[in-house]
């Protein structure tokens, strides 16, 4: 019985283990397929944190084993930390508007707000604005806090900076392919950091593999 690690599963999902087969990704305009790659960086950024793994195949154009060269993890960049940043913002706005305190001390209200913020974060991956709304959130008062994507990006800017520092420890010129996995990579700010700022020249893999489904 073999065990496939998450980074290896992402490579398989993107067809990097295929050899001249239909569906294998192109690495350049010359028509070279996935069989030509040697170094790939798998960025798995989800609920449990950010993990970057350098995978290498020693023999191109073969089914040779994938070797993990190194990996780095930053738990403080976890998806729940992103949600908590929005929770804190919405709580502050609600208390300021209604001149109350103690929202975060209410277990029920905190849980309901957290669920609403989780939904809002997912919505902001595809929409420019969202309203975090909860009826009767605290002491019978409703909450409706509008959040724009730029405002949200500002709320998580510190977390994005930590992610950038971690990923900068990997040389951009070293990788033929950079693959992403995890629901945080659905965020435009996170994807822009990876694709545009840090690894602009690396191949991105198959476009029909959603980051949150790459491991599954």
């Amino acid at each position: 019985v073999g065990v496939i690690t998450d980074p290896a599963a992402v490579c398989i999902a993107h067809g990097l283990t295929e050899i001249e087969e239909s569906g294998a990704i192109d690495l350049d305009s010359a028509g070279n397929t996935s069989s030509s790659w040697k170094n790939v960086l798998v960025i798995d950024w989800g609920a449990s944190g950010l993990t970057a793994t350098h995978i290498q195949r020693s023999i191109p154009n073969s089914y040779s084993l994938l070797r993990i060269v190194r990996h780095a993890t930053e738990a403080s960049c976890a998806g729940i930390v992103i949600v908590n940043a929005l929770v804190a913002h919405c709580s502050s706005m609600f208390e300021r508007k209604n001149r109350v305190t103690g929202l975060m001390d209410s277990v029920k209200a905190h849980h309901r707000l957290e669920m609403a913020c989780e939904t809002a974060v997912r919505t902001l991956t595809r929409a420019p604005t969202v309203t975090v709304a909860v009826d009767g959130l605290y002491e019978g008062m409703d909450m409706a806090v509008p959040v724009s994507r730029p405002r949200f990006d500002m709320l998580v800017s510190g977390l994005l900076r930590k992610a950038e520092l971690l990923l900068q420890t990997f040389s951009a010129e070293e990788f033929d392919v950079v693959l992403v996995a995890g629901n945080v990579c659905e965020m435009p700010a996170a994807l822009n950091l990876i694709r545009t700022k840090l690894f602009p020249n690396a191949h991105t893999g198959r476009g029909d593999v959603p980051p949150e489904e790459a491991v599954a």
Side-chain angles (χ1 to χ4, degrees), residues 6 10 42-52 72-84 118 121-122 125 159-160 163 166-167 179-187 190-191 194 210-215:
D6 285 353
V10 175
V42 178
I43 300 172
D44 189 352
W45 197 352
S48 60
L50 167 63
T51 299
T73 301
E74 180 56 74
S76 65
C77 291
I80 188 61
V81 179
I82 294 174
V83 173
N84 286 342
E118 287 177 357
V121 169
R122 288 194 295 270
T125 64
L159 180 144
L160 291 172
L166 174 73
L167 295 175
L179 305 177
V180 297
N183 55 3
V184 176
C185 287
E186 298 275 9
M187 289 172 45
L191 200 57
I194 296 167
E212 61 182 349
E213 298 178 13
V215 174

Side-chain angles (χ1 to χ4, degrees), residues 44-190:
D44 189 352
W45 197 352
S48 60
L50 167 63
T51 299
T53 306
H54 177 184
I55 292 181
Q56 186 177 79
R57 182 172 59 178
S58 57
I59 307 175
N61 303 294
S62 75
Y63 285 118
S64 61
L65 293 176
L66 305 181
R67 181 173 70 93
I68 294 179
V69 178
R70 67 175 285 244
H71 74 276
T73 301
E74 180 56 74
S76 65
C77 291
I80 188 61
V81 179
I82 294 174
V83 173
N84 286 342
L86 185 56
V87 168
H89 170 69
C90 291
S91 174
S92 175
M93 296 296 289
F94 176 85
E95 291 183 341
R96 185 184 306 171
K97 177 181 178 181
N98 295 286
R99 298 181 181 180
V100 295
T101 59
L103 170 60
M104 300 295 279
D105 295 328
S106 170
V107 176
K108 182 179 179 179
H110 188 184
H111 178 65
R112 294 182 66 198
L113 178 56
E114 189 174 65
M115 291 181 62
C117 287
E118 287 177 357
T119 300
V121 169
R122 288 194 295 270
T123 300
L124 284 170
T125 64
R126 58 183 184 275
T129 60
V130 67
T131 296
V132 183
V134 183
D135 294 336
L137 175 63
Y138 185 63
E139 294 184 356
M141 292 177 285
D142 300 336
M143 184 191 74
V145 177
V147 181
S148 66
R149 187 179 291 166
R151 176 61 173 167
F152 175 68
D153 290 347
M154 187 180 72
L155 292 174
V156 298
S157 60
L159 180 144
L160 291 172
R161 180 55 182 161
K162 288 182 180 179
E164 182 177 359
L165 290 174
L166 174 73
L167 295 175
Q168 282 177 335
T169 64
F170 294 86
S171 173
E173 293 75 20
E174 188 174 5
F175 300 102
D176 307 304
V177 188
V178 173
L179 305 177
V180 297
N183 55 3
V184 176
C185 287
E186 298 275 9
M187 289 172 45

Side-chain angles (χ1 to χ4, degrees), residues 6-22:
D6 285 353
V10 175
C11 290
I12 292 172
H14 282 273
L16 294 189
T17 56
E18 299 175 9
I19 299 180
E20 301 297 337
E21 295 178 358
S22 175

